[in-house]
């Protein structure tokens, strides 16, 4: 069952669906074949990224919760804790369900955070180093959703089966065999570039994905597996190249 937003300090308001994360982005969520858990995560948080009055009010409330000391920036730990609290508040009194969902997508949070903390630098503003600034908050929310969907797709392939709720056999390393077996299952996840990749030359796509970077983005030389970082980098690159609604968010957070 999908989440339905309820208003509180750490629970986003729910603007009209077509405004979610900008025009067109919500339609991609609803039409996708991502897991119900991923759709629920996106439907809870993405209204805060809307470019309308409701989204702005929700971000004001959200920022007050994520930056309680008012210093104007947040760390990864603070953002991670905020996501958990939002889910706990939304699902109260079912804390176990909230923690389950929070854990499902946790490997994707650092990637979303690292992308968002550079947004003000791209825009010519002050760079916050290891922190996300208030001006980058909208981008952070959008990235939390989009990287959760990327991880949802990766988890479906990794291990040759399972999903983001059941990661039995997953090692965050995608082999060529796993890619060939699972590519068709993620073609409808909402990313146009991933759909094209899944319907194209799977060997060539895997070779392109296999950038030679490890899970921390460091040079690890060419190997025979695609790490989560490599997968998300590939999906982001293709989406930006195609100029989709999600690609525009990933390119600039706006």
């Amino acid at each position: 069952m999908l989440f339905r937003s309820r208003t509180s300090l750490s629970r986003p308001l729910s603007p009209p669906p077509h405004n979610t994360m900008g025009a067109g982005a919500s339609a991609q969520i609803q039409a996708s074949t991502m897991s119900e858990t991923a759709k629920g995560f996106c439907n809870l948080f993405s209204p805060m990224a809307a470019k309308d009055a409701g989204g702005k009010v929700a971000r004001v409330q959200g920022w007050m919760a994520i930056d309680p000391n008012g210093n104007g920036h947040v760390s990864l730990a603070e953002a991670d804790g905020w996501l958990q609290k939002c889910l706990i508040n939304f699902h109260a009194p079912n804390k176990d369900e909230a923690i389950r969902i929070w854990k499902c997508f946790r490997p994707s949070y650092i990637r979303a955070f690292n992308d968002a903390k550079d947004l003000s630098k791209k825009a010519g503003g002050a760079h916050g180093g290891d922190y996300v600034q208030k001006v980058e908050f909208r981008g952070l929310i959008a990235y939390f959703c989009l990287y959760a969907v990327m991880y949802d797709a990766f988890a479906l392939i990794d291990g040759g089966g399972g999903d983001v709720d059941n990661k039995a056999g997953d090692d965050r390393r995608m082999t060529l065999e796993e890619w060939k077996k699972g590519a068709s299952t993620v073609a409808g996840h909402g990313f146009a570039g991933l759909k094209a990749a899944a319907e194209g030359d799977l060997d060539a796509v895997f070779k392109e994905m296999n950038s030679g970077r490890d899970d921390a983005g460091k040079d690890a030389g060419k190997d025979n597996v695609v790490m989560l970082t490599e997968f998300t980098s590939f999906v982001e690159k293709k989406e930006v190249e195609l100029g989709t609604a999600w690609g525009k968010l990933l390119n600039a957070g706006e």
Side-chain angles (χ1 to χ4, degrees), residues 35 104 151-152 154-158 161-168 170:
S35 70
C104 275
Y151 183 61
D152 190 69
F154 186 84
L156 196 59
I157 302 172
D158 186 21
D163 53 32
V164 76
D165 293 291
N166 177 16
K167 303 185 184 73
D170 290 4

Side-chain angles (χ1 to χ4, degrees), residues 16 38 55 62 76 84 88 102 112 114-115 131 187 192 198 208 211 227 234 252:
L76 173 60
Q84 184 188 88
I88 290 173
W102 172 68
N114 286 340
D115 247 12
Y131 299 93
E208 184 178 354
S211 65
M227 310 295 285
F234 172 85

Side-chain angles (χ1 to χ4, degrees), residues 154 157-159 169-180 202-203 205-216 218-232 234:
F154 186 84
I157 302 172
D158 186 21
D170 290 4
D171 58 5
R172 297 189 198 172
R173 297 167 180 260
M174 184 174 72
T175 65
L176 176 59
E177 180 182 0
E178 289 171 341
W179 165 242
K180 286 184 172 182
L202 298 183
D203 289 277
V205 169
F206 187 85
K207 185 177 180 180
E208 184 178 354
M209 284 185 185
N210 189 14
S211 65
R213 297 284 176 177
D214 66 14
D215 204 37
K218 297 180 180 179
D219 186 2
K222 285 289 184 178
D223 52 25
N224 60 355
V225 295
V226 168
M227 310 295 285
L228 176 58
T229 300
E230 294 174 302
F231 180 78
T232 57
F234 172 85

